[in-house]
Amino acid sequence: PVASADLYYVGEGLRIAVFLDGGAHEDPTQQKIDNVRREKLRDCGYSVIEIRHDDLDAGIHRLKTRLNC
């Protein structure tokens, strides 16, 4: 991959990159790095799902929706 994510799912016509974001990802410098990585994956056809430490339920819901679960 052109950038690293925490999890990948490729199958059934889907390409998903999942990022598990802890508190360190709230830092403005880290956010810029994250945005570059995620945009590279989007440019390669991945859907990017972010699961934030402070809103796990919403992130898991987005992932399940994308997987049609």
Side-chain angles (χ1 to χ4, degrees):
V2 295
S4 60
D6 294 300
L7 303 166
Y8 290 94
Y9 176 80
V10 177
E12 301 175 11
L14 299 172
R15 292 169 54 100
I16 300 173
V18 179
F19 289 87
L20 307 173
D21 288 353
H25 294 272
E26 294 175 12
D27 175 74
T29 301
Q30 185 61 51
Q31 288 176 352
K32 289 177 184 176
I33 294 166
D34 291 344
N35 288 339
V36 169
R37 288 180 179 155
R38 293 164 195 198
E39 194 58 37
K40 286 180 181 180
L41 287 166
R42 286 185 187 99
D43 289 345
C44 290
Y46 282 88
S47 294
V48 173
I49 304 292
E50 300 163 3
I51 301 177
R52 293 181 43 88
H53 71 100
D54 57 354
D55 199 2
L56 294 174
D57 290 338
I60 291 168
H61 176 74
R62 284 191 299 275
L63 179 57
K64 289 174 69 175
T65 298
R66 188 67 183 104
L67 291 170
N68 296 313
C69 294

